Amino acid sequence: MTEEQLFKNRHSLSHIMTMAVLELYPDAGLGVGPVIDNGFYQDYDLPESISDELLPKIQKRMREIIKQGIEFKKYEMDFDKALDQYKDDPYKTELITDLKAAGEASLSFYKSDWFENLCKGPHVDTTKEIDVVSFKLTKIAGAYWRGDEKNKMLTRIYGVAFANKEDLKAHLKMLEEAKRRDHRKLGKDLDLFLFSEKVGPGLPLWTPKGTALRNVLDDFVWKLRKQRGYEKVEIPHVTKKDLYETSGHWEKFKDDLFRFKTREGHEFAMKPMNCPHHTQIFDRHPHSYRDMPQRYANSTMVYRDEQTGELHGLSRVRCITQDDAHAFVRHSQVSEEMLKIWEIIEIFYKAVGFEDLKVELSFHDPNESEKYLGGPEVWETAENALREIVKSKGVEAEEKPGEAAFYGPKIDFIAKDAIGRTWQVATIQMDMNMPERFDLNCIDENGEKERVVMIHAAIMGSIERFLSIIIEHHAGAFPLWMSPVQVRIASVGESHTDATLKLVNELSMQGIRAEADVSDATVGAKIRNAAKSKTPYTIIFGDKEKEGEDFQIRVFGSEEGVVVAQGDLVKHIQEKVLEQQG
Amino acid sequence: MTEEQLFKNRHSLSHIMTMAVLELYPDAGLGVGPVIDNGFYQDYDLPESISDELLPKIQKRMREIIKQGIEFKKYEMDFDKALDQYKDDPYKTELITDLKAAGEASLSFYKSDWFENLCKGPHVDTTKEIDVVSFKLTKIAGAYWRGDEKNKMLTRIYGVAFANKEDLKAHLKMLEEAKRRDHRKLGKDLDLFLFSEKVGPGLPLWTPKGTALRNVLDDFVWKLRKQRGYEKVEIPHVTKKDLYETSGHWEKFKDDLFRFKTREGHEFAMKPMNCPHHTQIFDRHPHSYRDMPQRYANSTMVYRDEQTGELHGLSRVRCITQDDAHAFVRHSQVSEEMLKIWEIIEIFYKAVGFEDLKVELSFHDPNESEKYLGGPEVWETAENALREIVKSKGVEAEEKPGEAAFYGPKIDFIAKDAIGRTWQVATIQMDMNMPERFDLNCIDENGEKERVVMIHAAIMGSIERFLSIIIEHHAGAFPLWMSPVQVRIASVGESHTDATLKLVNELSMQGIRAEADVSDATVGAKIRNAAKSKTPYTIIFGDKEKEGEDFQIRVFGSEEGVVVAQGDLVKHIQEKVLEQQG
């Protein structure tokens, strides 16, 4: 089925749903009813609140209507006639008035059987085009008329629809699976992070295990960066607004910043990005061409004044940890430096379980040049440089105009997770504008100033968002190298407690993330608890282990265990970690 | 000489200075003129601005006056008479009016020869008590009348004074030495940190070398903590004000916080402390007595809305990195946990070059109980516990009432630096109030809730302030283990460049902080530059080194070098580091 046909099906299903609803509530007011990802919705002004239990009834009636083979017919109406016809309907009146003000020539309506609705279309010609078992009504939610909380709260009914029953089933299974993997639930079950009423929404706090997970990932990125000449820097989390006036962030993003006045009346902001701070470190003294590139890495938090309704677990937060890095390079070094970052991305994403990343070129939109810093030549140069780099890697990359950062074009990397969802993950950005605005130079071979280029290169991007992806991708069962606890040692009885604790301590001092289970529980319960915690390795420590016999490692998710001599455990884990890290 | 006599000398020198100034400017108005650490000052309202060049002249005249053996005589005056007598002197009129309003019974004046001044005293009986070569006028500065920038700017003259010439000389030498070691100058010379006009005052940015220094120290503290069961946690840098309303910070420190409203109108603050956030992590689920203590470590920034005039290099900043930690313990565990922290402090401060720390007990002031959280029993219990701990260490500790944190008493550790200045460094705080306010418990052996105790345990405290101390203590010549660059490899000629860079890269990959000097400079200049950078080890890399001969290490600050086989260099440095870390 074509995308166009699927769009029509979904759109028409929305009208058919409304027919079923109007049979139940003839006086229901109609809000908007668009096609969305995987389906559709429609907002209703109903005389009473309804629950999910009503959905099967509506769905059943929809199938009956579809089977009637109803035709959809389009017709036009002029504004005055429409306003008169719908003068008792405040929703239609508002929509028609707005369309008129927007300068539309006329209005289009769709008629299906007895139901007529203001609608741009397109729709199916006949409901015969729709498979009656290709859709499902999924949920009811509240939604303000036109998204404004000052308006009336309407009842929104959501549905999903696909080409056929199989596609629908696959989607519903994916949703089920996504629910099971929900990082908010797993975060609590695995004791990784929490939210506190007193601290506020969008502000996750990290437990010892969650912090270990963050740091393992961040340390691995750092290891890959260090090998490629990066150095760590550190910056304050606030600044006078002057920094962002120079960078252009103030003008573009002022409303998204946490801003405040100091007691002396100076205007400050919490940093929403780290690049402007890093320019100040680069610019602390002149750099000879011999000292280029300068590469700064800095995992640090940035802040966004997100609306509460937009927040979601770790995916969208107010306090974002970025594994940020900026390379200040000569023009002649752009390609080599970008390829180094690309290498890091390949190694890192393979290690975390994403083998094949799709590549996109996010370019500026020449029709909206006012959204970007710098002139057309600067953008052409930068975008051509990115095209060349992608070409040299022999990779297919879709070009996406309008997706660039406001200061430069990007190479974006897209990962597909275990249940088929895609996520934009790493990004490499080429920036010729910040160096211009901050007047950043190096001294070339002839003693002349040369304008440098900045490369922005976060690998995980937001560590919080990245963790939401990776927790769900692995359903919380992390590979050995990244698991917050790598090995759990469970004592058999009281007489093994001390030796168990001693072993955990020794492992820990040798850099292995180990934890003890010396509770009163039975060995069976301890094994079940270890599996529940999804710890990669579990060792039961009893008399034989106390006597020095080989460890029998239970490996999570595998029927087969591993046997290692006691003295080889650390080495075994270290080697496995290096192997998994590639 | 007694402290009291020295106070009198300093106070009387201030009056004598004024006599000399009034001879030059008979109509000078007089602001305040108190005794301060090491000396005195006096504020003057002068008809013209004066420069430091005038100080020797005033000082000479002061000596002549002292030699006259002038007597200081005290007399009383009632308020009305004083107000009448000084009706043309706006400064005196304001001071007298304030003293009257404050309910003082009468006013005391001191007369020395022709000079009479409103003054509480005490003073010398005769200037014969003062050694004419025991003081020095040091500088002139501007100062607002009563410290208020809305008032007139007066001229402040500072002097230092001691018992005798020797003490004065020692102090002046110390000042000279302190100037040479000034961390603000060394920070720039050694390329450790910077300030940016655009970012703002009090907000240091850290270069790669400065960041390395911070991280080496922080990692060492972490190593010591990890050995003692601490776990890392991570927290957002902002919070709803609710958290601080519960903790009590809002009421006590509201004006010192960076506060702001989100776009939705919620009141937020940047965190000034980490303990309230850590309570939320502890309180995420119930803890069995078996799981106690819980120990959280977290090096993170806190923020204070300091006034610009109060800022000073790294000593006083707006964005403070704390190597913070909190242990949540049972009452029965307080002593053992505190002693563990004490152990960390001993090892750490010995390694950074402070052998003998003085210990003080900072207790609450029972006369100002409104300044503290919690009742007298809580404070008595906590303070007695600290007394016991200090006793068990066999250490002499001065008790300082009024120096406690608002939530609990502290054990403070005081270091004396290379030029004799003392600094309060580490602190261990016992807190029974936060657990009360946040209702923090564990479940005891009988299944009952038991109130826990919080121990606050920063080792460096503010890393910025600690670095200002340590940079000046070592005058920038750091021991091998903590130096941002441990070894510098300088190539002899162009034919050694590649091998030098390769060696630096190899060392770096093995965790040694190495840098290359492959510039065009002569070997002599490279040796001088290495010394200037105060790098502990320097190796000149020439033909012999290329052929694999032993490295001749030049050791900073030592005449004798060290010879190591090329293959042993890493091991040699690693062993030296461990030796220095104790």
Side-chain angles (χ1 to χ4, degrees):
Chain A
M1 186 177 286
T2 63
E3 281 298 311
E4 196 195 341
Q5 178 68 47
L6 193 53
F7 184 93
K8 285 183 188 171
N9 285 11
R10 285 168 177 162
H11 206 171
S12 300
L13 280 163
S14 164
H15 281 222
I16 294 162
M17 175 168 77
T18 299
M19 291 171 74
V21 169
L22 287 173
E23 286 178 13
L24 295 169
Y25 300 103
D27 297 327
L30 299 185
V32 293
V35 170
I36 54 171
D37 272 358
N38 306 315
F40 57 89
Y41 71 74
Q42 170 72 47
D43 289 345
Y44 300 100
D45 184 358
L46 299 178
E48 61 184 11
S49 75
I50 59 171
S51 79
D52 285 356
E53 284 158 31
L54 196 63
L55 296 183
K57 188 175 170 185
I58 298 171
Q59 191 170 296
K60 192 172 161 227
R61 182 63 192 133
M62 285 172 72
R63 289 195 178 141
E64 290 163 9
I65 295 168
I66 291 168
K67 282 180 188 156
Q68 293 168 22
I70 286 168
E71 291 183 357
F72 275 72
K73 289 201 177 118
K74 183 178 178 176
Y75 60 91
E76 308 271 315
M77 198 186 297
D78 69 37
F79 283 98
D80 292 342
K81 192 179 165 199
L83 280 171
D84 183 56
Q85 188 163 325
Y86 289 99
K87 63 177 182 290
D88 296 332
D89 182 335
Y91 301 109
K92 285 279 185 295
T93 301
E94 191 173 329
L95 290 174
I96 294 167
T97 308
D98 282 5
L99 286 168
K100 191 176 176 187
E104 296 280 327
S106 72
L107 295 165
S108 87
F109 281 72
Y110 275 85
K111 185 171 190 301
S112 49
D113 200 2
W114 54 268
F115 176 57
E116 299 180 55
N117 200 10
L118 173 69
C119 181
K120 239 179 135 169
H123 280 281
V124 295
D125 290 329
T126 157
T127 56
K128 285 181 186 156
E129 295 168 31
I130 303 171
D131 184 345
V132 291
V133 289
S134 68
F135 75 97
K136 185 175 194 258
L137 300 188
T138 49
K139 63 176 175 183
I140 293 172
Y144 294 107
W145 164 242
R146 314 208 88 174
D148 186 338
E149 63 184 33
K150 287 187 217 98
N151 291 337
K152 189 169 184 184
M153 169 83 85
L154 305 179
T155 302
R156 178 172 294 176
I157 305 181
Y158 284 94
V160 290
F162 291 87
N164 50 48
K165 193 179 175 179
E166 289 63 42
D167 287 5
L168 173 66
K169 250 177 94 174
H171 178 74
L172 294 174
K173 202 181 151 202
M174 190 277 284
L175 286 187
E176 198 58 41
E177 187 56 29
K179 205 168 154 189
R180 196 180 70 80
R181 291 166 181 256
D182 190 326
H183 73 274
R184 294 167 301 176
K185 186 180 168 295
L186 284 173
K188 206 175 147 79
D189 292 351
L190 303 178
D191 195 23
L192 298 176
F193 61 89
L194 60 133
F195 290 93
S196 149
E197 278 290 324
K198 289 191 165 71
V199 173
L203 297 168
L205 294 97
W206 295 86
T207 66
K209 281 182 191 159
T211 307
L213 180 59
R214 286 165 62 100
N215 289 346
V216 166
L217 293 164
D218 194 41
D219 288 349
F220 183 43
V221 170
W222 167 237
K223 184 179 138 188
L224 297 173
R225 282 191 168 136
K226 192 183 170 193
Q227 288 165 354
R228 288 158 184 83
Y230 281 78
E231 300 180 288
K232 284 189 183 176
V233 296
E234 199 51 85
I235 57 177
H237 292 220
V238 291
T239 174
K240 276 162 60 183
K241 71 167 176 173
D242 308 40
L243 187 71
Y244 297 133
E245 282 175 340
T246 303
S247 71
H249 288 90
W250 193 259
E251 200 196 330
K252 299 262 169 201
F253 298 121
K254 195 168 56 151
D255 294 338
D256 298 318
L257 307 188
F258 287 129
R259 285 172 294 151
F260 54 91
K261 282 204 172 152
T262 66
R263 61 164 90 189
E264 293 167 341
H266 301 296
E267 272 199 270
F268 272 52
M270 294 179 73
K271 66 183 164 78
M273 285 197 170
N274 307 307
C275 32
H277 277 90
H278 287 182
T279 65
Q280 301 302 289
I281 298 181
F282 174 79
D283 205 29
R284 71 191 183 281
H285 58 57
H287 296 275
S288 153
Y289 69 94
R290 291 170 185 273
D291 301 327
M292 299 296 289
Q294 291 282 310
R295 309 175 188 92
Y296 301 151
N298 190 189
S299 290
T300 178
M301 286 188 188
V302 296
Y303 310 89
R304 305 277 161 84
D305 191 355
E306 298 279 3
Q307 312 215 33
T308 307
E310 302 286 317
L311 300 172
H312 179 84
L314 297 179
S315 315
R316 191 107 173 230
V317 293
R318 289 182 164 132
C319 209
I320 304 156
T321 316
Q322 288 186 335
D323 63 331
D324 213 357
H326 296 98
F328 297 82
V329 307
R330 303 179 79 179
H331 269 275
S332 58
Q333 298 168 327
V334 166
S335 175
E336 189 185 340
E337 280 306 312
M338 284 202 148
L339 288 171
K340 276 187 195 167
I341 300 163
W342 197 317
E343 210 170 71
I344 295 175
I345 291 169
E346 283 177 326
I347 300 172
F348 179 80
Y349 278 91
K350 186 164 174 240
V352 299
F354 292 121
E355 290 271 342
D356 290 309
L357 299 178
K358 213 179 100 197
V359 179
E360 287 177 1
L361 285 166
S362 290
F363 285 172
H364 81 303
D365 182 348
N367 300 321
E368 295 194 285
S369 55
E370 73 287 354
K371 279 172 62 183
Y372 305 93
L373 301 181
E377 329 72 50
V378 169
W379 281 87
E380 203 187 320
T381 308
E383 291 178 355
N384 279 336
L386 296 200
R387 277 193 191 101
E388 281 306 309
I389 289 162
V390 168
K391 205 171 140 192
S392 79
K393 286 290 283 187
V395 163
E396 285 293 316
E398 195 181 339
E399 293 190 9
K400 300 240 170 178
E403 295 290 317
F406 77 99
Y407 45 75
K410 309 184 287 170
I411 304 177
D412 286 331
F413 296 84
I414 321 290
K416 187 181 250 188
D417 76 8
I419 57 173
R421 296 172 300 182
T422 55
W423 306 98
Q424 198 236 292
V425 284
T427 167
I428 315 176
Q429 306 175 15
M430 178 167 170
D431 177 2
M432 294 165 65
N433 281 306
M434 291 290 146
E436 198 66 36
R437 296 177 77 99
F438 283 103
D439 191 20
L440 305 181
N441 307 293
C442 66
I443 307 299
D444 75 7
E445 291 83 345
N446 305 316
E448 305 284 332
K449 278 187 181 178
E450 176 183 308
R451 179 71 76 225
V452 301
V453 177
M454 265 178 93
I455 300 174
H456 305 243
I459 305 301
M460 291 184 272
S462 152
I463 296 186
E464 286 76 14
R465 181 173 167 278
F466 176 77
L467 280 173
S468 76
I469 295 170
I470 214 72
I471 291 169
E472 299 191 357
H473 179 58
H474 289 291
F478 305 109
L480 185 72
W481 80 267
M482 71 160 94
S483 186
V485 178
Q486 297 177 303
V487 54
R488 179 189 283 222
I489 318 290
S491 58
V492 171
E494 249 193 82
S495 63
H496 311 109
T497 300
D498 289 347
T500 298
L501 293 174
K502 187 165 164 267
L503 174 59
V504 165
N505 190 45
E506 281 169 9
L507 291 171
S508 168
M509 283 306 117
Q510 287 178 87
I512 306 296
R513 298 183 297 279
E515 75 177 356
D517 178 356
V518 292
S519 64
D520 293 339
T522 62
V523 170
K526 286 183 181 182
I527 291 173
R528 283 192 299 279
N529 287 337
K532 229 170 105 184
S533 75
K534 310 193 180 191
T535 308
Y537 282 4
T538 302
I539 295 171
I540 306 299
F541 198 100
D543 284 337
K544 286 183 181 169
E545 286 72 17
K546 212 172 160 181
E547 281 158 21
E549 278 193 25
D550 288 355
F551 288 136
Q552 312 279 335
I553 304 176
R554 292 166 175 271
V555 179
F556 182 80
S558 159
E559 288 299 308
E560 281 168 46
V562 173
V563 181
V564 292
Q566 296 209 359
D568 292 342
L569 179 60
V570 171
K571 207 174 123 229
H572 168 78
I573 293 175
Q574 283 168 343
E575 283 173 0
K576 197 87 194 159
V577 163
L578 286 178
E579 182 192 316
Q580 289 182 350
Q581 287 183 341
Chain B
M1 185 177 287
T2 62
E3 281 297 311
E4 195 194 340
Q5 178 67 49
L6 192 53
F7 185 93
K8 285 182 188 173
N9 285 10
R10 287 169 176 163
H11 207 170
S12 300
L13 279 163
S14 163
H15 282 222
I16 294 162
M17 175 169 76
T18 299
M19 290 169 74
V21 169
L22 287 173
E23 286 178 12
L24 294 169
Y25 299 103
D27 296 326
L30 299 184
V32 294
V35 170
I36 53 172
D37 271 1
N38 306 316
F40 56 91
Y41 71 74
Q42 170 72 46
D43 290 345
Y44 300 102
D45 184 358
L46 299 179
E48 60 184 10
S49 76
I50 58 171
S51 79
D52 284 358
E53 285 159 31
L54 196 63
L55 297 183
K57 188 175 171 186
I58 298 171
Q59 190 169 298
K60 192 171 161 228
R61 182 65 192 132
M62 286 171 72
R63 289 195 177 140
E64 289 164 8
I65 295 168
I66 292 167
K67 281 180 188 157
Q68 291 168 21
I70 286 168
E71 291 183 355
F72 275 73
K73 287 199 179 122
K74 183 180 179 174
Y75 61 93
E76 310 270 311
M77 197 186 297
D78 68 36
F79 284 97
D80 292 342
K81 193 179 162 200
L83 281 170
D84 183 58
Q85 188 163 327
Y86 288 99
K87 64 175 180 290
D88 297 331
D89 182 336
Y91 302 109
K92 285 279 184 297
T93 301
E94 191 172 329
L95 290 174
I96 295 167
T97 308
D98 282 4
L99 287 167
K100 191 176 175 185
E104 295 281 325
S106 72
L107 294 166
S108 88
F109 282 74
Y110 276 84
K111 185 171 190 301
S112 49
D113 198 2
W114 55 267
F115 177 57
E116 298 179 58
N117 200 10
L118 172 69
C119 181
K120 240 179 136 171
H123 280 280
V124 295
D125 291 329
T126 157
T127 56
K128 285 181 187 157
E129 294 169 32
I130 303 171
D131 185 343
V132 290
V133 290
S134 69
F135 75 96
K136 185 171 193 259
L137 300 189
T138 48
K139 64 175 173 183
I140 293 172
Y144 294 107
W145 165 241
R146 315 209 86 174
D148 186 337
E149 63 184 36
K150 288 189 216 96
N151 292 336
K152 188 169 183 183
M153 170 84 85
L154 305 179
T155 303
R156 178 172 292 177
I157 306 180
Y158 284 95
V160 291
F162 292 86
N164 50 48
K165 193 178 173 178
E166 288 65 42
D167 288 4
L168 173 66
K169 249 176 93 174
H171 178 75
L172 293 175
K173 201 179 152 202
M174 189 277 284
L175 285 187
E176 198 58 38
E177 187 58 28
K179 207 167 151 189
R180 194 179 71 80
R181 291 164 180 256
D182 190 326
H183 73 274
R184 293 167 301 176
K185 187 180 167 294
L186 284 173
K188 205 175 148 76
D189 292 350
L190 303 177
D191 194 24
L192 298 175
F193 60 89
L194 60 133
F195 290 93
S196 149
E197 279 290 325
K198 289 191 164 71
V199 173
L203 297 168
L205 295 97
W206 295 86
T207 66
K209 281 184 189 158
T211 308
L213 180 59
R214 286 165 63 100
N215 289 346
V216 166
L217 293 163
D218 194 42
D219 288 348
F220 184 44
V221 169
W222 167 239
K223 182 179 142 188
L224 298 172
R225 280 192 168 134
K226 191 181 173 198
Q227 288 165 353
R228 287 158 185 85
Y230 281 78
E231 300 179 289
K232 284 188 183 177
V233 297
E234 200 51 84
I235 57 177
H237 292 220
V238 291
T239 174
K240 275 161 63 181
K241 71 169 178 171
D242 309 42
L243 187 71
Y244 298 133
E245 283 176 339
T246 303
S247 70
H249 287 92
W250 193 259
E251 200 195 330
K252 300 261 168 200
F253 299 120
K254 195 168 52 151
D255 294 337
D256 299 318
L257 307 188
F258 286 130
R259 286 172 292 152
F260 53 92
K261 283 205 171 152
T262 65
R263 63 164 89 189
E264 293 168 339
H266 301 298
E267 273 199 88
F268 271 53
M270 295 179 73
K271 67 183 164 75
M273 286 197 170
N274 308 307
C275 32
H277 277 89
H278 287 181
T279 66
Q280 300 303 290
I281 297 181
F282 175 79
D283 206 28
R284 71 191 183 280
H285 58 57
H287 296 274
S288 153
Y289 69 94
R290 291 169 185 275
D291 301 326
M292 299 295 289
Q294 291 283 311
R295 309 174 188 93
Y296 301 151
N298 190 190
S299 290
T300 179
M301 285 188 188
V302 297
Y303 310 88
R304 305 279 162 82
D305 191 356
E306 299 280 1
Q307 312 214 32
T308 307
E310 302 286 317
L311 300 171
H312 179 84
L314 297 178
S315 316
R316 191 109 172 228
V317 293
R318 288 182 165 133
C319 208
I320 304 157
T321 317
Q322 288 186 333
D323 64 331
D324 213 357
H326 296 98
F328 297 82
V329 306
R330 304 181 78 180
H331 269 275
S332 58
Q333 297 167 329
V334 167
S335 175
E336 189 185 339
E337 280 306 312
M338 283 202 150
L339 287 171
K340 276 187 196 166
I341 300 164
W342 196 316
E343 213 171 69
I344 295 175
I345 291 169
E346 284 176 326
I347 299 172
F348 179 80
Y349 278 91
K350 188 165 171 238
V352 299
F354 292 121
E355 290 272 342
D356 291 308
L357 299 177
K358 215 180 100 197
V359 179
E360 287 177 359
L361 286 165
S362 290
F363 285 173
H364 81 303
D365 181 347
N367 300 320
E368 294 194 285
S369 55
E370 73 286 355
K371 280 173 58 183
Y372 306 93
L373 301 180
E377 330 72 50
V378 169
W379 281 87
E380 204 186 317
T381 308
E383 290 177 355
N384 280 336
L386 296 200
R387 278 193 191 99
E388 281 306 311
I389 290 161
V390 168
K391 207 171 139 190
S392 79
K393 287 290 282 188
V395 162
E396 286 292 317
E398 196 181 340
E399 294 191 7
K400 300 240 168 176
E403 295 290 318
F406 77 98
Y407 45 75
K410 309 184 287 171
I411 304 178
D412 286 331
F413 295 83
I414 321 289
K416 187 182 249 186
D417 76 8
I419 57 174
R421 296 171 300 182
T422 55
W423 306 99
Q424 199 236 291
V425 284
T427 169
I428 315 177
Q429 307 176 14
M430 176 167 172
D431 177 2
M432 295 166 64
N433 281 305
M434 290 290 146
E436 198 68 35
R437 296 177 77 100
F438 283 103
D439 192 20
L440 304 180
N441 307 292
C442 66
I443 306 300
D444 74 7
E445 291 83 346
N446 305 314
E448 306 284 332
K449 276 187 184 179
E450 178 183 306
R451 179 71 76 225
V452 301
V453 177
M454 264 178 94
I455 300 174
H456 306 243
I459 305 302
M460 291 184 272
S462 152
I463 296 186
E464 286 77 13
R465 180 173 166 277
F466 175 78
L467 280 173
S468 76
I469 295 169
I470 214 74
I471 290 169
E472 299 191 358
H473 178 57
H474 290 292
F478 304 109
L480 185 72
W481 81 267
M482 70 161 95
S483 186
V485 178
Q486 297 176 303
V487 54
R488 179 188 282 221
I489 318 289
S491 58
V492 171
E494 250 193 80
S495 63
H496 311 108
T497 299
D498 289 349
T500 298
L501 293 173
K502 186 163 166 269
L503 174 60
V504 164
N505 190 43
E506 281 168 11
L507 291 171
S508 168
M509 282 306 117
Q510 286 177 87
I512 307 296
R513 298 184 297 280
E515 76 177 356
D517 179 355
V518 291
S519 64
D520 293 337
T522 63
V523 170
K526 286 183 181 182
I527 292 173
R528 284 192 298 279
N529 287 337
K532 230 170 104 185
S533 75
K534 309 191 182 197
T535 309
Y537 282 3
T538 302
I539 295 172
I540 307 298
F541 198 99
D543 284 337
K544 286 183 182 170
E545 286 73 16
K546 212 171 160 182
E547 281 157 23
E549 278 194 26
D550 288 356
F551 287 136
Q552 313 280 333
I553 305 175
R554 292 166 176 273
V555 180
F556 181 79
S558 159
E559 288 299 307
E560 281 168 47
V562 173
V563 181
V564 292
Q566 296 209 0
D568 291 343
L569 179 60
V570 171
K571 204 172 128 233
H572 168 78
I573 294 175
Q574 283 169 342
E575 282 173 0
K576 197 83 193 165
V577 163
L578 287 177
E579 183 193 315
Q580 289 182 349
Q581 287 184 339

